[in-house]
Amino acid sequence: MTMLDSELPPLTQDVDYGICDADQHYYEPQDCLTRHLDKKYKSVVKWIDVSGRTSLLIHSRQLTVVPNPTYDPVGVPGSLETYFRAENQAGRELRDIIKMAPIPVEARERDKRIAWMDKNRVDTVWLIPSLGLGIEEMLQEDPESGMAIFTAYNRWLEDDWGYNRDGRILTGPLISLMDPVAAEAELDRTLPLGPRTIIMRAGPVGHPYGRPPSPADPRFDRIWAKIAEAGVVVAIHAGDAGYMKYLGDWGESTRYLGMKQSPLAEVLSVGIERPIFDMMSALICHGLFDRHPKLKVATLELGSAWVPGLHRALKRAYGKTPQLFGSDPVEAFREHVWIAPFYEDKLSELRDIHGADRILLGSDWPHPEGLATPRHWIPDFDVLGPADMRKALRDNLLEASGLN
C-alpha cells in the first residue's frame, strides 16, 4: 500500500482518453550526486547529521531549498491545495496544512511509476528533478565542480530512469550554461541517448567573474543550435534562481527557504514569476529564436500569471522600436514557448492571449503543491472547451516531444 491508496478525493469530472503530464517529479536517492562523481570533487558534496536530521552540504553550505533532502517522510500530493488556491482564510502555517507520509515507491522506482501511470490513465510524462533543481545556485562560484556534479547527476538519472526507454517516461539531462564548453560536451554525451527534454532552471546564468551573460548571448549558440537540431524541448523549471538577493535591497533576508516566504517575497514572486519573466524577456529580446528558429521551450511549475504582462511589454517595445528586433517578439513568444499553468491560474485568459496549442498540463505530482492525482486537474481545464481541453491535456505535449 502506498500513501495514495486511501483518502483520495473523488474525481468530479473526467475525460475518456489518456492524459499527458509535462511536470511530474522523481525523488532522488542520497547518492544521486555522488554515485558517478569524480573523486576529485567528492569533498564538494557531503551528507551530514544536524540535530538528528540528515541534511546536505554543498561547498560547506547547507541546502535550504528542500526542507528534507532525503524525502522521507515527504508531503502528500494535494495537501497544499487550499494554500495555493489562496483559500487559507484561517491563516494556518504551512507546517499545519501539509500532510506528511512515507515516500511513495512510485517516486523512486521506474516500474512502479509505470504501473501508477497505467492505473491513473496517464500515457506520457516529462519527469523532472526535485533536489537537482536546487543545487545550481550553490555551485555558481565553482563552475568546474558544478559541471562535474551535473554530469554525475545525469549519469545517475540514466541508471535509474533512463531518458526515453519506451515513450512513457521522458526525463532529460540537467544542463547549466555556467561553463559553455562543459555544457556542450555534456550535450554531446547525452543527446545520442535519446532525451526529448533538456532541463534548466529559471534564472540567470551562473558566472563567477563579473556580470553574468544573457542566456541568449552568442557564446552559447553552439549549445542552442544542437538542442534545436535534435528537436529537444528546453524544459525550464522553477528552482533556486538566486533572486532572494533582491529582497536585501528592501530590508529582508536573502536566504532562500523554499515555500517559507515572507509576504514581500510572495508579492514580488522572486521564486516564480519574476525569474521566468526576466529570463524569457532576455531570450526573446536578445534574438535567441531569430537565430534558432527550430528551438522549443516549455516553462514548468512557473504558472502563467506572468504571461499576459510579458505579451504587453513585448508588444509595446516592438511598437516603439521595431528596428531593434529581428522579428515580432510576441509571435516569437507564441511560436516557441509552451506554458504549464498553475491550477489557480486563469486558463481561458492564457488560451486567448497565448494560444490553445501552447498550453500544457503540469501536475507537479507527487509534490504536495499539486493535486492528489493529475486527473484531479481536469475540471480546471473545462473552461477551455472539449477540443482545446484535449490539446492541453494530451496533444500539445506529444507534439512538443515529437511523439505525435
Side-chain angles (χ1 to χ4, degrees):
M1 175 177 287
T2 75
M3 67 178 183
L4 300 180
D5 288 332
S6 63
E7 298 183 357
L8 276 178
L11 285 173
T12 60
Q13 186 176 349
D14 205 351
V15 291
D16 61 359
Y17 48 82
I19 61 176
C20 297
D21 193 342
D23 184 21
Q24 288 197 16
H25 293 266
Y26 45 75
Y27 285 135
E28 299 94 330
Q30 289 189 34
D31 69 344
C32 67
L33 302 178
T34 57
R35 184 188 302 176
H36 294 287
L37 185 60
D38 190 300
K39 292 181 179 179
K40 177 181 178 181
Y41 307 103
K42 290 287 187 180
S43 64
V44 177
V45 179
K46 292 183 179 180
W47 289 90
I48 61 169
D49 182 274
V50 179
S51 302
R53 297 186 65 177
T54 302
S55 190
L56 178 63
L57 292 184
I58 296 180
H59 278 310
S60 300
R61 290 182 294 166
Q62 187 175 2
L63 181 79
T64 57
V65 63
V66 180
N68 177 11
T70 69
Y71 296 107
D72 199 8
V74 71
V76 173
S79 60
L80 294 177
E81 180 182 357
T82 56
Y83 176 84
F84 284 100
R85 290 195 188 274
E87 298 171 352
N88 182 27
Q89 288 88 354
R92 299 165 66 202
E93 297 293 337
L94 275 175
R95 64 177 178 270
D96 299 322
I97 300 174
I98 194 170
K99 297 178 182 178
M100 304 298 290
I103 187 171
V105 293
E106 299 91 346
R108 285 267 169 89
E109 298 181 24
R110 191 182 189 282
D111 291 344
K112 294 293 195 326
R113 187 59 157 260
I114 289 289
W116 178 92
M117 290 168 60
D118 291 341
K119 176 182 176 181
N120 288 276
R121 295 168 60 214
V122 179
D123 288 350
T124 300
V125 301
W126 291 349
L127 208 58
I128 309 295
S130 295
L131 175 69
L133 287 162
I135 63 174
E136 182 172 353
E137 185 64 21
M138 303 181 73
L139 294 164
Q140 287 195 57
E141 297 174 2
D142 184 8
E144 180 184 344
S145 295
M147 299 307 289
I149 290 170
F150 273 46
T151 294
Y153 182 94
N154 292 337
R155 289 186 182 276
W156 158 78
L157 182 60
E158 293 154 19
D159 286 349
D160 284 22
W161 293 92
Y163 292 132
N164 179 15
R165 293 178 182 173
D166 52 16
R168 301 288 307 280
I169 292 177
L170 308 179
T171 71
L174 196 57
I175 297 293
S176 170
L177 298 176
M178 67 176 119
D179 182 334
V181 174
E184 184 177 356
E186 184 65 356
L187 278 179
D188 289 341
R189 187 187 71 82
T190 56
L191 284 177
L193 301 178
R196 303 311 307 152
T197 61
I198 296 293
I199 311 301
M200 291 185 175
R201 68 159 185 171
V205 176
H207 199 260
Y209 313 111
R211 185 173 61 188
S214 166
D217 190 288
R219 76 183 72 179
F220 304 122
D221 272 353
R222 289 174 58 88
I223 295 169
W224 296 120
K226 289 184 176 184
I227 295 173
E229 188 59 32
V232 174
V233 180
V234 180
I236 300 175
H237 195 283
D240 183 358
Y243 267 46
M244 297 301 290
K245 60 189 176 187
Y246 297 115
L247 290 178
D249 293 336
W250 304 105
E252 293 210 356
S253 171
T254 60
R255 190 182 183 203
Y256 186 75
L257 295 173
M259 289 187 292
K260 296 179 180 179
Q261 296 194 99
S262 70
L264 180 61
E266 178 71 31
V267 170
L268 295 181
S269 196
V270 292
I272 300 291
E273 294 170 22
R274 192 74 252 171
I276 189 58
F277 184 101
D278 295 353
M279 184 179 187
M280 197 57 61
S281 299
L283 295 181
I284 296 169
C285 294
H286 293 159
L288 184 67
F289 300 122
D290 295 324
R291 300 196 305 276
H292 305 284
K294 294 182 181 179
L295 193 62
K296 297 182 288 187
V297 173
T299 65
L300 310 178
E301 203 169 339
L302 292 159
S304 64
W306 56 277
V307 174
L310 184 53
H311 271 269
R312 288 192 296 271
L314 291 172
K315 183 177 180 180
R316 287 180 61 83
Y318 189 54
K320 292 175 179 178
T321 56
Q323 72 277 12
L324 300 182
F325 291 88
S327 62
D328 185 332
V330 173
E331 292 307 313
F333 186 21
R334 286 197 183 107
E335 179 182 353
H336 293 276
V337 182
W338 283 253
I339 307 290
F342 291 139
Y343 50 74
E344 65 268 26
D345 289 339
K346 297 179 180 179
L347 272 66
S348 59
E349 180 181 8
L350 176 62
R351 186 262 314 275
D352 294 344
I353 196 170
H354 202 68
D357 295 338
R358 293 296 182 264
I359 301 176
L360 299 169
L361 163 68
S363 77
D364 200 34
W365 198 91
H367 287 180
E369 304 96 292
L371 297 183
T373 74
R375 299 193 83 86
H376 281 83
W377 282 58
I378 289 173
D380 292 293
F381 284 85
D382 183 63
V383 67
L384 300 180
D388 289 346
M389 190 175 178
R390 182 183 174 102
K391 291 179 180 180
L393 293 176
R394 178 181 175 84
D395 297 346
N396 292 343
L397 181 139
L398 296 176
E399 178 193 353
S401 303
L403 297 178
N404 57 346

